[in-house]
Amino acid sequence: LAARLGRPVVFVLAALDAYQRNRLVRLGVPFIVPELQLFIPPFANLTEQFQRQVKADKLSAAAQTTVLYQLLRRPNEGTLLNQWANWLGYSAMTMSKVRNELVAAELCDREPGAKVRGLRFVAAGRALWEKARPFLKTPARRGVWAQFEKLPNGFLPAGITALARQTLLEGDERPTYACRDANWEQLLQAGKVRVADHEDESRARVELWRYDPGLLAKGGGVDPLSLHLSLADSADERVRLAASELLEQVAW
Protein backbone atom coordinates (compact mmCIF):
# COMPACT_ATOMS: atom_id res chain seq x y z
CA LEU A 1 0.00 0.00 0.00
CA ALA A 2 2.77 2.41 0.88
CA ALA A 3 4.51 1.70 -2.45
CA ARG A 4 1.26 2.13 -4.40
CA LEU A 5 0.18 5.31 -2.65
CA GLY A 6 3.60 6.84 -2.24
CA ARG A 7 2.67 7.67 1.35
CA PRO A 8 3.13 6.09 4.77
CA VAL A 9 0.42 3.60 5.77
CA VAL A 10 -0.59 2.97 9.39
CA PHE A 11 -2.90 0.21 10.59
CA VAL A 12 -5.54 1.35 13.11
CA LEU A 13 -6.88 -1.54 15.20
CA ALA A 14 -9.49 -1.70 17.95
CA ALA A 15 -7.47 -4.28 19.90
CA LEU A 16 -4.24 -6.19 19.47
CA ASP A 17 -2.92 -9.30 21.22
CA ALA A 18 0.61 -9.14 22.60
CA TYR A 19 2.08 -11.65 20.15
CA GLN A 20 0.53 -9.80 17.20
CA ARG A 21 1.85 -6.49 18.46
CA ASN A 22 5.36 -7.88 18.95
CA ARG A 23 5.35 -9.32 15.45
CA LEU A 24 4.32 -6.01 13.89
CA VAL A 25 7.08 -4.26 15.82
CA ARG A 26 9.66 -6.80 14.62
CA LEU A 27 8.50 -6.36 11.02
CA GLY A 28 8.45 -2.57 11.34
CA VAL A 29 4.75 -2.30 10.44
CA PRO A 30 3.26 0.98 11.76
CA PHE A 31 0.09 0.64 13.84
CA ILE A 32 -2.12 2.46 16.34
CA VAL A 33 -4.47 1.03 18.95
CA PRO A 34 -6.36 4.22 19.92
CA GLU A 35 -5.69 5.42 23.47
CA LEU A 36 -3.48 2.42 24.13
CA GLN A 37 -0.55 1.80 21.78
CA LEU A 38 1.42 3.62 19.10
CA PHE A 39 4.16 2.37 16.77
CA ILE A 40 5.11 4.62 13.84
CA PRO A 41 8.84 4.39 13.10
CA PRO A 42 10.94 6.47 12.98
CA PHE A 43 8.68 8.84 14.94
CA ALA A 44 7.93 6.27 17.66
CA ASN A 45 10.28 3.32 17.70
CA LEU A 46 8.77 1.67 20.74
CA THR A 47 5.24 0.66 21.58
CA GLU A 48 3.79 3.28 23.90
CA GLN A 49 0.98 2.58 26.34
CA PHE A 50 -1.19 5.54 27.25
CA GLN A 51 -2.62 5.65 30.73
CA ARG A 52 -5.82 7.46 29.79
CA GLN A 53 -8.61 5.14 28.71
CA VAL A 54 -11.78 6.05 26.85
CA LYS A 55 -14.66 4.94 29.02
CA ALA A 56 -17.18 2.70 27.34
CA ASP A 57 -20.78 3.81 27.02
CA LYS A 58 -22.25 0.35 27.53
CA LEU A 59 -20.46 -2.96 27.74
CA SER A 60 -20.67 -5.51 24.95
CA ALA A 61 -22.68 -8.68 25.56
CA ALA A 62 -19.47 -10.64 26.24
CA ALA A 63 -18.13 -8.05 28.69
CA GLN A 64 -21.46 -7.77 30.52
CA THR A 65 -21.66 -11.56 30.83
CA THR A 66 -18.14 -11.56 32.27
CA VAL A 67 -19.04 -8.99 34.94
CA LEU A 68 -22.22 -10.84 35.91
CA TYR A 69 -20.33 -14.15 36.07
CA GLN A 70 -17.77 -12.54 38.38
CA LEU A 71 -20.54 -11.23 40.64
CA LEU A 72 -22.53 -14.44 40.80
CA ARG A 73 -19.86 -17.15 40.60
CA ARG A 74 -16.94 -15.26 42.21
CA PRO A 75 -13.98 -16.98 40.49
CA ASN A 76 -10.49 -16.40 41.84
CA GLU A 77 -8.79 -13.08 41.21
CA GLY A 78 -6.50 -13.12 38.19
CA THR A 79 -8.16 -16.14 36.56
CA LEU A 80 -6.58 -16.64 33.13
CA LEU A 81 -8.45 -15.51 30.02
CA ASN A 82 -8.47 -19.00 28.50
CA GLN A 83 -10.35 -20.26 31.57
CA TRP A 84 -12.85 -17.42 31.18
CA ALA A 85 -13.25 -18.37 27.52
CA ASN A 86 -14.06 -21.96 28.52
CA TRP A 87 -16.60 -20.86 31.11
CA LEU A 88 -18.42 -18.39 28.89
CA GLY A 89 -18.05 -20.05 25.50
CA TYR A 90 -16.21 -17.14 23.87
CA SER A 91 -12.97 -17.21 21.90
CA ALA A 92 -9.65 -16.19 23.42
CA MET A 93 -9.58 -13.14 21.13
CA THR A 94 -13.05 -12.08 22.31
CA MET A 95 -11.93 -12.36 25.93
CA SER A 96 -8.89 -10.23 25.14
CA LYS A 97 -11.23 -7.55 23.79
CA VAL A 98 -13.44 -7.97 26.87
CA ARG A 99 -10.42 -7.31 29.06
CA ASN A 100 -9.70 -4.09 27.16
CA GLU A 101 -13.33 -3.02 27.62
CA LEU A 102 -13.26 -3.68 31.33
CA VAL A 103 -9.98 -1.83 31.76
CA ALA A 104 -11.38 1.12 29.78
CA ALA A 105 -14.45 1.14 32.03
CA GLU A 106 -12.11 1.03 35.05
CA LEU A 107 -13.67 -2.20 36.25
CA CYS A 108 -10.42 -4.16 35.89
CA ASP A 109 -6.79 -3.27 36.48
CA ARG A 110 -4.29 -3.54 33.65
CA GLU A 111 -1.63 -6.07 34.55
CA PRO A 112 1.98 -4.97 34.21
CA GLY A 113 3.85 -6.29 31.19
CA ALA A 114 2.90 -6.81 27.58
CA LYS A 115 1.29 -10.25 27.81
CA VAL A 116 -2.42 -10.44 28.58
CA ARG A 117 -2.95 -13.08 31.25
CA GLY A 118 -6.08 -12.71 33.35
CA LEU A 119 -8.76 -10.47 34.81
CA ARG A 120 -8.26 -8.53 38.03
CA PHE A 121 -11.40 -6.66 39.04
CA VAL A 122 -10.96 -3.46 41.03
CA ALA A 123 -13.84 -4.27 43.40
CA ALA A 124 -15.98 -7.19 44.53
CA GLY A 125 -19.58 -7.91 45.46
CA ARG A 126 -22.01 -5.03 45.78
CA ALA A 127 -19.21 -2.48 45.25
CA LEU A 128 -18.40 -3.99 41.84
CA TRP A 129 -22.09 -4.03 40.93
CA GLU A 130 -22.51 -0.35 41.76
CA LYS A 131 -19.37 0.55 39.82
CA ALA A 132 -20.42 -1.52 36.80
CA ARG A 133 -24.12 -0.60 36.82
CA PRO A 134 -23.83 2.48 34.52
CA PHE A 135 -22.27 0.26 31.84
CA LEU A 136 -24.87 -2.53 32.02
CA LYS A 137 -28.08 -2.73 30.02
CA THR A 138 -31.02 -5.05 29.55
CA PRO A 139 -29.97 -8.42 28.13
CA ALA A 140 -33.08 -8.53 25.92
CA ARG A 141 -32.67 -7.27 22.37
CA ARG A 142 -36.41 -7.55 21.77
CA GLY A 143 -39.48 -9.56 22.68
CA VAL A 144 -41.80 -11.60 20.46
CA TRP A 145 -45.10 -13.36 20.92
CA ALA A 146 -44.43 -17.02 20.19
CA GLN A 147 -46.35 -20.19 19.45
CA PHE A 148 -44.94 -23.71 19.90
CA GLU A 149 -46.18 -27.21 20.66
CA LYS A 150 -43.49 -28.13 23.19
CA LEU A 151 -41.37 -25.82 25.33
CA PRO A 152 -38.02 -25.74 23.46
CA ASN A 153 -34.71 -26.45 25.13
CA GLY A 154 -32.94 -23.30 26.24
CA PHE A 155 -36.11 -21.44 27.22
CA LEU A 156 -35.92 -20.17 30.80
CA PRO A 157 -38.58 -18.34 32.83
CA ALA A 158 -37.85 -14.61 32.65
CA GLY A 159 -39.54 -11.21 32.85
CA ILE A 160 -42.66 -10.91 34.98
CA THR A 161 -42.95 -14.71 35.16
CA ALA A 162 -39.60 -15.04 36.90
CA LEU A 163 -40.13 -11.91 38.98
CA ALA A 164 -43.46 -13.20 40.30
CA ARG A 165 -41.72 -16.33 41.55
CA GLN A 166 -39.36 -14.33 43.72
CA THR A 167 -41.51 -11.41 44.88
CA LEU A 168 -45.14 -10.64 45.76
CA LEU A 169 -45.82 -9.35 42.25
CA GLU A 170 -48.61 -11.12 40.38
CA GLY A 171 -47.62 -12.92 37.18
CA ASP A 172 -48.99 -12.25 33.69
CA GLU A 173 -51.60 -14.39 31.97
CA ARG A 174 -49.02 -15.63 29.46
CA PRO A 175 -45.58 -16.71 30.65
CA THR A 176 -42.36 -15.01 29.61
CA TYR A 177 -39.26 -16.95 28.64
CA ALA A 178 -35.74 -15.93 27.68
CA CYS A 179 -33.50 -17.54 25.10
CA ARG A 180 -30.34 -16.61 23.23
CA ASP A 181 -31.18 -14.71 20.04
CA ALA A 182 -29.10 -17.13 17.95
CA ASN A 183 -30.95 -20.09 19.49
CA TRP A 184 -34.28 -18.49 18.55
CA GLU A 185 -33.22 -18.18 14.91
CA GLN A 186 -32.24 -21.85 14.82
CA LEU A 187 -35.58 -22.91 16.32
CA LEU A 188 -37.42 -20.66 13.88
CA GLN A 189 -35.66 -22.19 10.88
CA ALA A 190 -36.30 -25.71 12.21
CA GLY A 191 -40.02 -24.96 12.50
CA LYS A 192 -40.09 -25.61 16.24
CA VAL A 193 -41.39 -22.12 17.02
CA ARG A 194 -43.19 -19.43 15.09
CA VAL A 195 -43.96 -15.77 15.64
CA ALA A 196 -47.60 -15.12 16.53
CA ASP A 197 -49.30 -12.14 14.92
CA HIS A 198 -51.13 -11.20 18.12
CA GLU A 199 -50.83 -11.90 21.83
CA ASP A 200 -54.13 -13.81 21.78
CA GLU A 201 -52.64 -16.27 19.28
CA SER A 202 -49.46 -16.85 21.30
CA ARG A 203 -48.49 -19.35 23.92
CA ALA A 204 -45.82 -17.17 25.51
CA ARG A 205 -43.74 -14.03 25.22
CA VAL A 206 -40.10 -14.74 24.41
CA GLU A 207 -37.24 -12.35 25.14
CA LEU A 208 -34.33 -12.70 22.73
CA TRP A 209 -31.18 -12.19 24.80
CA ARG A 210 -27.77 -10.90 23.75
CA TYR A 211 -26.11 -13.68 25.75
CA ASP A 212 -27.10 -17.19 26.79
CA PRO A 213 -29.38 -16.95 29.85
CA GLY A 214 -28.40 -20.50 30.74
CA LEU A 215 -24.84 -19.47 31.59
CA LEU A 216 -25.95 -17.76 34.79
CA ALA A 217 -29.29 -19.51 35.35
CA LYS A 218 -30.41 -20.10 38.91
CA GLY A 219 -33.33 -22.07 40.34
CA GLY A 220 -34.72 -22.99 36.94
CA GLY A 221 -34.94 -19.38 35.76
CA VAL A 222 -32.71 -16.53 34.67
CA ASP A 223 -30.23 -15.10 37.15
CA PRO A 224 -31.42 -12.28 39.45
CA LEU A 225 -29.02 -9.63 38.13
CA SER A 226 -29.97 -10.15 34.49
CA LEU A 227 -33.63 -10.22 35.53
CA HIS A 228 -33.18 -6.94 37.37
CA LEU A 229 -31.54 -5.35 34.33
CA SER A 230 -34.34 -6.53 32.05
CA LEU A 231 -37.03 -4.90 34.21
CA ALA A 232 -35.29 -1.93 35.85
CA ASP A 233 -36.64 0.52 33.25
CA SER A 234 -40.21 -0.80 33.20
CA ALA A 235 -42.95 1.79 32.85
CA ASP A 236 -44.78 0.06 35.71
CA GLU A 237 -43.57 1.36 39.08
CA ARG A 238 -44.63 -1.87 40.81
CA VAL A 239 -42.37 -3.85 38.47
CA ARG A 240 -39.45 -1.50 39.07
CA LEU A 241 -39.83 -1.80 42.85
CA ALA A 242 -40.05 -5.58 42.68
CA ALA A 243 -36.99 -5.68 40.41
CA SER A 244 -35.09 -3.64 43.01
CA GLU A 245 -35.98 -6.23 45.66
CA LEU A 246 -33.99 -8.81 43.68
CA LEU A 247 -30.74 -7.03 44.56
CA GLU A 248 -31.40 -7.63 48.25
CA GLN A 249 -31.67 -11.35 47.60
CA VAL A 250 -28.24 -11.64 46.01
CA ALA A 251 -25.51 -13.15 48.20
CA TRP A 252 -22.95 -10.42 47.55
Side-chain angles (χ1 to χ4, degrees):
L1 285 174
R4 289 269 185 154
L5 298 174
R7 298 182 179 186
V9 174
V10 179
F11 285 93
V12 180
L13 305 156
L16 196 60
D17 288 336
Y19 79 93
Q20 295 172 324
R21 180 186 64 234
N22 293 339
R23 188 177 181 207
L24 291 178
V25 170
R26 287 197 305 271
L27 295 174
V29 178
F31 65 87
I32 295 174
V33 180
E35 302 297 334
L36 185 59
Q37 291 148 352
L38 169 70
F39 180 69
I40 310 179
F43 307 106
N45 288 321
L46 296 174
T47 301
E48 299 176 6
Q49 293 191 2
F50 298 95
Q51 295 300 316
R52 187 174 71 87
Q53 300 289 335
V54 176
K55 285 194 175 183
D57 178 20
K58 296 292 182 181
L59 294 179
S60 66
Q64 178 162 321
T65 307
T66 302
V67 171
L68 296 182
Y69 193 97
Q70 176 69 27
L71 288 165
L72 295 169
R73 300 287 188 266
R74 296 190 291 277
N76 293 332
E77 181 181 356
T79 298
L80 298 181
L81 291 185
N82 59 359
Q83 181 60 66
W84 278 100
N86 291 334
W87 286 335
L88 303 180
Y90 293 115
S91 68
M93 180 170 289
T94 296
M95 289 309 304
S96 182
K97 293 178 180 178
V98 164
R99 178 179 178 274
N100 289 339
E101 277 190 73
L102 298 180
V103 169
E106 298 181 357
L107 299 176
C108 280
D109 286 327
R110 179 171 295 282
E111 291 180 324
K115 190 171 182 181
V116 176
R117 301 182 189 282
L119 295 180
R120 295 186 180 277
F121 286 87
V122 300
R126 189 67 181 258
L128 176 59
W129 166 260
E130 297 297 341
K131 192 172 180 63
R133 183 62 183 89
F135 303 104
L136 306 178
K137 61 182 178 181
T138 174
R141 293 190 190 276
R142 61 190 178 96
V144 295
W145 294 110
Q147 182 58 268
F148 45 83
E149 297 299 324
K150 180 182 177 182
L151 187 67
N153 292 331
F155 277 35
L156 290 173
I160 302 299
T161 301
L163 188 62
R165 291 182 174 187
Q166 302 178 54
T167 66
L168 298 177
L169 193 73
E170 184 177 352
D172 287 335
E173 180 180 350
R174 283 175 175 75
T176 299
Y177 298 101
C179 79
R180 178 71 187 270
D181 48 6
N183 185 29
W184 169 262
E185 294 300 328
Q186 293 172 355
L187 292 169
L188 205 59
Q189 293 177 14
K192 295 183 179 180
V193 297
R194 67 178 181 84
V195 178
D197 293 329
H198 304 286
E199 178 181 352
D200 293 342
E201 300 174 359
S202 70
R203 181 170 174 180
R205 182 177 182 273
V206 179
E207 294 179 350
L208 310 184
W209 278 27
R210 300 184 300 134
Y211 50 85
D212 182 4
L215 281 173
L216 302 167
K218 182 178 180 182
V222 300
D223 71 274
L225 296 182
S226 293
L227 181 59
H228 169 84
L229 291 169
S230 71
L231 296 169
D233 295 327
S234 171
D236 190 328
E237 184 180 4
R238 296 172 304 163
V239 173
R240 295 198 304 272
L241 290 173
S244 297
E245 292 177 19
L246 293 173
L247 299 181
E248 306 307 320
Q249 301 176 19
V250 176
W252 301 107

